[in-house]
């Protein structure tokens, strides 16, 4: 399992354990699974998907380290 935390300027959007996360990277969508290599990437406008949930974003950043995924995002209105 992954520990996922999604933060926007307004609030903490989600925190909890998930099996995978799909994010709209600047160079294309990618999926983060357990034991993913450490990475920091920018995000473009698109959809974040995790455990059946969808969250539309305008952009942001993702950091993955030791099965912890942190997303700092700007939400669509």
């Amino acid at each position: 399992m992954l520990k996922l935390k999604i933060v926007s300027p307004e609030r903490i959007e989600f925190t909890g354990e998930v099996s995978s996360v799909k994010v709209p990277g600047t160079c294309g969508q990618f999926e983060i699974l357990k034991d993913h290599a450490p990475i920091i990437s920018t995000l473009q406008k698109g959809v974040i998907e995790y455990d059946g949930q969808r969250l539309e974003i305008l952009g942001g950043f993702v950091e993955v380290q030791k099965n912890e995924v942190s997303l700092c995002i700007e939400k669509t209105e």
Side-chain angles (χ1 to χ4, degrees):
M1 296 297 277
L2 298 167
K3 291 182 183 175
L4 174 62
K5 185 172 187 177
I6 304 174
V7 179
S8 70
E10 294 81 25
R11 64 179 187 201
I12 295 173
E13 301 291 333
F14 177 84
T15 185
E17 290 194 346
V18 298
S19 56
S20 70
V21 183
K22 287 184 184 176
V23 295
T26 305
C27 293
Q29 184 182 51
F30 64 95
E31 185 172 18
I32 301 161
L33 300 169
K34 186 175 184 264
D35 297 327
H36 194 286
I39 187 173
I40 295 175
S41 178
T42 55
L43 302 175
Q44 65 182 3
K45 183 176 181 178
V47 177
I48 296 169
E49 297 179 42
Y50 57 95
D51 286 357
Q53 302 295 314
R54 294 173 51 91
L55 180 62
E56 290 189 35
I57 65 167
L58 295 175
F61 296 91
V62 60
E63 178 184 16
V64 181
Q65 194 169 36
K66 297 181 182 176
N67 291 319
E68 293 187 13
V69 181
S70 299
L71 293 165
C72 181
I73 57 136
E74 183 179 354
K75 284 180 46 174
T76 59
E77 294 301 321

